[in-house]
Amino acid sequence: MEGNQTWITDITLLGFQVGPALAILLCGLFSVFYTLTLLGNGVIFGIICLDSKLHTPMYFFLSHLAIVDMSYASNNVPKMLANLMNQKRTISFVPCIMQTFLYLAFAVTECLILVVMSYDRYVAICHPLQYTVIMSWRVCTILVLTSWSCGFALSLVHAILLLRLPFCGPRDVNHLFCEILSVLKLACADTWVNQVVIFATCVFVLVGPLSLILVSYMHILGAILKIQTKEGRIKAFSTCSSHLCVVGLFFGIAMVVYMVPDSNQREEQEKMLSLFHSVFNPMLNPLIYSLRNAQLKGALHRALQRKRSMRTVYGLCL
């Protein structure tokens, strides 16, 4: 590095370059979506914890997916909302790197948990008699801990590689938050090592898992077609189709953002895809699972009935 280069201390997130009126409208709209994300995933997590009938491997994994979605949205959305209401739109360098680290950690963890959920459905439908033996609580705990550990370990590798680079300007990031590809553009050195590691991570976290999910669902589809009763086929297909919807949204967007060759024309498209990934996807997940899951809806109905009964008893006591 040359002597006149200095390390940048803050970064400007350009985000949505819109007028004040539209910024207020977007802020209000995204605030509603963020609230629904926390509420929807929080309700799913709470119901699974409180209802003993949902203490099964499938709902154990779903509860962790809800935690990841709430964490993922909370890492990105609040700063984005603050930037919509603030013309300065700056973030210090260290919090920016921390946001990048957590963004990658939660994203990788969600990918791996979705793979674990597909494996759980594969065992449940293709090997129902051995399900309780294969998917024991010990195995489920190991799978979840491995997903979280791999997510944070891979994210730490990217953060370390990012911090070894000199950042001397420019200070503007054309994104809604500190996304790793956008932050790399601020580096004053060659980033080929970072790019190679990002691509390798995409192969490991996106291509490999997606291939496993597709293969497992091919076996699942064959098993569903062999089910004798119509009700059994409908129940199995309903459970699996909700998971496939979530997988398609998450993996599809991630592969477009990180595996399609970059260009200046794609910056705005990537910004919109990242918005969908951060705001809409975590909000849609609880809707997809709750609307297509009879057990989850039944548990919610029982919880509401218990609440009404408690209110009635409390009213009588008074």
Side-chain angles (χ1 to χ4, degrees), residues 263-290:
S263 65
N264 292 330
Q265 290 75 21
R266 288 188 60 247
E267 281 189 347
E268 294 301 318
Q269 296 175 4
E270 288 179 3
K271 197 186 296 185
M272 297 306 297
L273 289 173
S274 297
L275 174 68
F276 191 93
H277 225 244
S278 301
V279 179
F280 296 103
N281 207 42
M283 181 186 69
L284 290 175
N285 284 355
L287 290 176
I288 292 170
Y289 280 109
S290 60

Side-chain angles (χ1 to χ4, degrees), residues 32-81:
V32 172
F33 292 155
Y34 179 54
T35 303
L36 291 174
T37 296
L38 297 181
L39 184 63
N41 285 288
V43 167
I44 285 181
F45 179 76
I47 289 174
I48 292 172
C49 290
L50 296 174
D51 197 311
S52 58
K53 293 183 179 180
L54 299 182
H55 292 175
T56 62
M58 183 179 80
Y59 294 104
F60 175 66
F61 299 138
L62 183 57
S63 67
H64 280 269
L65 182 66
I67 293 172
V68 173
D69 280 334
M70 287 188 289
S71 304
Y72 187 80
S74 298
N75 180 57
N76 301 330
V77 177
K79 183 60 181 176
M80 184 180 71
L81 296 177

Side-chain angles (χ1 to χ4, degrees), residues 10-14 88-91 171-175:
D10 54 40
I11 293 168
T12 301
L13 297 171
L14 298 180
K88 195 175 180 183
R89 299 183 177 184
T90 58
I91 181 172
R171 299 171 184 266
D172 295 341
V173 172
N174 188 20
H175 212 281

Side-chain angles (χ1 to χ4, degrees), residues 101-154:
F101 168 75
L102 292 174
Y103 161 76
L104 290 172
F106 294 132
V108 173
T109 302
E110 179 155 352
C111 286
L112 298 178
I113 286 180
L114 289 173
V115 176
V116 170
M117 291 176 72
S118 69
Y119 175 69
D120 172 69
R121 290 301 83 206
Y122 164 75
V123 176
I125 294 173
C126 298
H127 303 283
L129 298 179
Q130 299 171 300
Y131 180 73
T132 54
V133 177
I134 298 174
M135 299 303 294
S136 64
W137 281 112
R138 180 175 176 274
V139 171
C140 293
T141 304
I142 290 173
L143 288 173
V144 165
L145 289 176
T146 302
S147 299
W148 282 96
S149 300
C150 286
F152 277 83
L154 286 172

